[in-house]
């Protein structure tokens, strides 16, 4: 079984369900509150692990109750935590408002995640022994740059979710093997409002790019050329929190099945992985929460049959 190293954030999500977002200065009543383990990194790690792949999580939590709960989740999901540091800072939190339509707004307080500015020896070792390195932008960019360099030196396939969007070093995106932004992120990164054109730009120089479009599917491109539009699976959304993270975790889990480190991913393999990930994320949005909404391999394959 191939190993997936996830270099990313681990947060506790503080989720309020409400009918609508309040106007500036307005107070409204919420319909419910819950705490759910999350963070883009941990979300993607759980999604991949729940789909049957070996996952190693690299990041940091605080020495507090939230940190203990996140570590317990990793243990329960079978996720290795060789590269998980205990930082002298509170565990990161995400403050999420979910409205009746299922859409959400999120404010992240980085906490311990901000302490991961350079790779530890344990994190570097975990990357070099893996087949895939999965990253997001909720950690400092300095450690992502180090992660990519370590991965490339070892022939490890790199995957980036460029969220939240922020200024990136020149050539950073081109150094990633696969970039998976949503439509808004792709437009911000490229200046192209057309997701097809944005995918073409992001996939230049032999990079894979998948621009996700929510209920409209996703655009798949490689080396400056769009290969096609993958349709979405129609469902009634309850909560879209972590839908994108479920997509990425499932995508990499599918690619990892039978993958030989250092080899190229074929168009057929990528399109099949996108199909698998589309089903996984469609299941997740029909349930509440982040990690709590993610499906198992059996659930995804039952729909694919």
């Amino acid at each position: 079984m191939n190993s997936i190293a996830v270099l990313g954030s681990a947060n506790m999500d503080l989720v309020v369900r409400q009918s609508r977002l309040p106007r500036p200065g307005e107070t409204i009543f919420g319909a419910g509150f819950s705490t759910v383990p999350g963070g883009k990194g941990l979300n993607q790690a759980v999604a991949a692990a729940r789909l049957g792949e070996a996952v190693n999580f690299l990041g940091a939590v605080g020495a507090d109750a939230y940190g203990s709960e996140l570590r317990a989740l990793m243990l329960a999901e079978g996720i290795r935590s060789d590269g998980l540091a205990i930082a002298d800072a509170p565990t990161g939190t995400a403050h999420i408002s979910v409205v009746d339509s299922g859409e959400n707004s999120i404010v992240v307080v980085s906490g311990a995640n901000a302490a991961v500015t350079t790779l530890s020896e344990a994190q570097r070792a975990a990357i070099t022994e893996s087949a895939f390195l999965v990253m997001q932008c909720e950690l400092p960019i300095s450690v992502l740059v180090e992660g990519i360099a370590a991965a490339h030196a070892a022939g490890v396939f790199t995957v980036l979710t460029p969220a939240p969007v922020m200024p990136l070093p020149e050539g950073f995106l081109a150094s990633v093997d696969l970039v998976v932004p949503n439509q808004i992120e792709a437009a911000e990164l490229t200046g192209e409002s057309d997701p097809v054109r944005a995918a073409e730009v992001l996939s230049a120089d032999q990079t894979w790019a998948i621009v996700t479009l929510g209920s409209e599917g996703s655009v798949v491109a490689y080396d400056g050329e769009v290969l096609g539009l993958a349709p979405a699976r129609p469902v009634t959304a309850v909560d879209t929190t972590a839908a994108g993270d479920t997509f990425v975790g499932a995508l990499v889990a599918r690619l990892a099945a039978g993958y030989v480190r250092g080899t190229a991913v074929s168009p057929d393999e990528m399109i099949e992985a996108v199909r698998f990930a589309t089903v996984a994320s469609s299941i997740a949005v029909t349930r509440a929460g982040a990690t709590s909404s993610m499906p198992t391999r059996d659930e995804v394959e039952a729909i694919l049959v």
Side-chain angles (χ1 to χ4, degrees), residues 7 19 43 73 123 160 226-227 232 235 247 254 256 261 270:
L7 177 60
S19 60
N43 286 344
L73 172 70
Q123 291 167 344
L160 175 72
V226 168
L227 303 185
V235 295
F247 182 93
R254 189 64 166 189
R261 191 166 84 163
M270 186 62 74

Side-chain angles (χ1 to χ4, degrees), residues 18-29:
Q18 55 205 72
S19 60
R20 60 177 176 81
L21 295 179
R23 294 182 291 270
E26 181 186 19
T27 299
I28 65 173
F29 285 104

Side-chain angles (χ1 to χ4, degrees), residues 170-181:
E170 185 175 354
F172 181 82
L173 285 175
S175 70
V176 177
D177 294 306
L178 167 62
V179 58
V180 191

Side-chain angles (χ1 to χ4, degrees), residues 12 45 47 50 89 98 113 115 119 127 165-166 171 197-198 240 242 261 277:
M12 183 60 72
R50 202 165 287 173
V98 181
N113 297 305
L119 289 177
I127 290 170
V165 173
M166 59 184 62
R197 178 57 186 149
T240 59
R261 191 166 84 163

Side-chain angles (χ1 to χ4, degrees), residues 7-219:
L7 177 60
S9 57
N11 295 327
M12 183 60 72
D13 291 349
L14 311 178
V15 185
V16 176
R17 298 199 66 91
Q18 55 205 72
S19 60
R20 60 177 176 81
L21 295 179
R23 294 182 291 270
E26 181 186 19
T27 299
I28 65 173
F29 285 104
F33 173 78
S34 59
T35 57
V36 183
K40 288 187 176 299
L42 184 55
N43 286 344
Q44 293 178 1
V46 170
R50 202 165 287 173
L51 291 165
E53 292 304 313
V55 179
N56 202 339
F57 184 80
L58 321 178
V61 295
D64 51 26
Y66 287 159
S68 295
E69 190 170 342
L70 297 184
R71 294 198 305 273
L73 172 70
M74 294 180 208
L75 182 64
E77 295 288 346
I79 297 170
R80 290 169 56 188
S81 55
D82 303 0
L84 180 67
I86 308 301
D88 187 21
T91 299
T93 53
H95 305 256
I96 304 175
S97 297
V98 181
V99 299
D100 287 347
S101 67
E103 294 298 323
N104 62 73
S105 297
I106 305 174
V107 176
V108 173
V109 180
S110 295
N113 297 305
V116 188
T117 58
T118 188
L119 289 177
S120 68
E121 288 307 310
Q123 291 167 344
R124 191 177 299 276
I127 290 170
T128 58
E129 73 178 21
S130 299
F132 291 83
L133 172 63
V134 179
M135 301 164 293
Q136 320 76 36
C137 292
E138 288 186 339
L139 295 184
I141 294 299
S142 59
V143 76
L144 303 186
V145 172
E146 282 192 42
I148 290 173
H152 284 178
V156 176
F157 191 99
T158 55
V159 182
L160 175 72
T161 302
V165 173
M166 59 184 62
L168 299 172
E170 185 175 354
F172 181 82
L173 285 175
S175 70
V176 177
D177 294 306
L178 167 62
V179 58
V180 191
N182 64 25
Q183 184 172 357
I184 294 172
E185 293 154 359
E188 290 189 37
L189 289 168
T190 64
E192 301 285 350
S193 58
D194 179 1
V196 171
R197 178 57 186 149
E200 291 172 343
V201 172
L202 289 169
S203 68
D205 300 319
Q206 297 184 316
T207 295
W208 283 99
I210 300 171
V211 179
T212 59
L213 310 175
S215 62
E216 296 181 11
S218 57
V219 180

